[in-house]
Amino acid sequence: MRQIYETDLYSNRNPTWHEEDAPWKASHIEKIIHRNQLSFKNICEVGCGTGDILLNLSNAFPGVDLCGFEIAPQAYARAKAKERDPVRFFLKDFLQDSEDHYDIILLIDVIEHVEDYNAFLKAIKSRSQYKIFHVPLDLSVQSLLRGWPIMNLRANVGHLHYFYKDSILATLKDCGYRIIDHHYTASRLELPNQAVTSRLMRLPRRLCYAANRDLAVRVLGGYSLMILAS
């Protein structure tokens, strides 16, 4: 599956590399950092794509050093063209080509793409004091009933693994992480350019979420989980 990122396949299917989602994701990262009053001097993003999350965070946290690692040449080229002090980008495999330690490591929509995600999580744990994950919660009653949403995610964006809230939190704990904080992010409600079916589901999702958050997410889907761990 790694070849879809190192060739033109992913770029052809996702020509913007989801750059339009970066401000929204950065705002949720900023939210969880401020809520937990984290003290830090540097941030590293593993699987940084075209770098826009880090570029947004550089505005929110002036004076902080930021760097991103990416294995897809096309995404790296777009990131490198936007590089500015103090944000740097590297076309490298983080675990193979770096031994540095950071205050915060970001893994934003990454875990679901990694073939052996348990080994990856264990290997990356010692590389920073804090880790911030953003994980799509692809498993829901409606996604399993319809079937095609999960298979489309596999074919178009390379999701190999599918989680719901309890399973990703249990996975992190099994890999030795301590969960500090987490919150839902409403990707299908708040991100632009949603499919017609997602737009039709906005009101039911909002109403059900207001009544019972966990149940609404498990049944209707459309959410991801932002997690702070150490």
Side-chain angles (χ1 to χ4, degrees), residues 13-138:
R13 293 176 179 174
N14 305 276
T16 70
W17 288 87
H18 314 291
E19 287 175 333
E20 62 275 15
D21 301 347
W24 175 80
K25 292 176 181 177
S27 70
H28 280 285
I29 295 167
E30 184 181 354
K31 176 181 178 180
I32 206 166
I33 286 174
H34 284 311
R35 189 167 64 219
N36 290 276
Q37 300 180 334
L38 301 187
S39 177
F40 57 97
K41 295 181 179 179
N42 54 62
I43 297 175
C44 173
E45 184 178 6
V46 178
C48 67
T50 62
D52 286 78
I53 291 176
L54 289 177
L55 292 167
N56 277 273
L57 290 175
S58 71
N59 297 325
F61 301 107
V64 172
D65 290 325
L66 303 103
C67 69
F69 286 77
E70 178 56 53
I71 63 168
Q74 299 87 349
Y76 167 75
R78 293 173 72 133
K80 194 68 176 178
K82 294 176 282 189
E83 189 176 72
R84 63 171 188 255
D85 188 52
V87 187
R88 296 167 295 127
F89 300 107
F90 303 97
L91 182 61
K92 294 180 179 180
D93 185 316
F94 178 77
L95 289 178
Q96 294 182 5
D97 298 314
S98 171
E99 297 181 357
D100 292 335
H101 185 275
Y102 298 90
D103 295 328
I104 299 174
I105 285 179
L106 305 178
L107 297 118
I108 309 302
D109 298 351
V110 168
I111 301 303
E112 64 276 10
H113 298 271
V114 179
E115 291 186 13
D116 188 351
Y117 65 89
N118 283 292
F120 176 79
L121 287 169
K122 291 175 182 178
I124 213 164
K125 182 179 181 299
S126 63
R127 302 293 298 277
S128 68
Q129 181 178 4
Y130 300 107
K131 268 71 59 175
I132 297 177
F133 301 90
H134 190 250
V135 182
L137 302 178
D138 294 328

Side-chain angles (χ1 to χ4, degrees), residues 125-198:
K125 182 179 181 299
S126 63
R127 302 293 298 277
S128 68
Q129 181 178 4
Y130 300 107
K131 268 71 59 175
I132 297 177
F133 301 90
H134 190 250
V135 182
L137 302 178
D138 294 328
L139 284 182
S140 67
V141 172
Q142 67 87 17
S143 70
L144 291 174
L145 285 175
R146 292 191 293 164
W148 63 262
I150 285 179
M151 297 313 298
N152 279 359
L153 288 169
R154 187 180 187 89
N156 295 326
V157 293
H159 287 199
L160 300 177
H161 312 287
Y162 312 97
F163 301 97
Y164 64 101
K165 174 186 172 182
D166 294 339
S167 68
I168 184 56
L169 294 178
T171 294
L172 291 172
K173 291 176 183 177
D174 290 344
C175 290
Y177 287 82
R178 180 176 69 92
I179 307 300
I180 300 171
D181 191 10
H182 58 79
H183 68 260
Y184 288 122
T185 64
S187 51
R188 290 293 179 268
L189 301 180
E190 299 172 0
L191 288 177
N193 304 321
Q194 294 297 312
V196 172
T197 53
S198 292

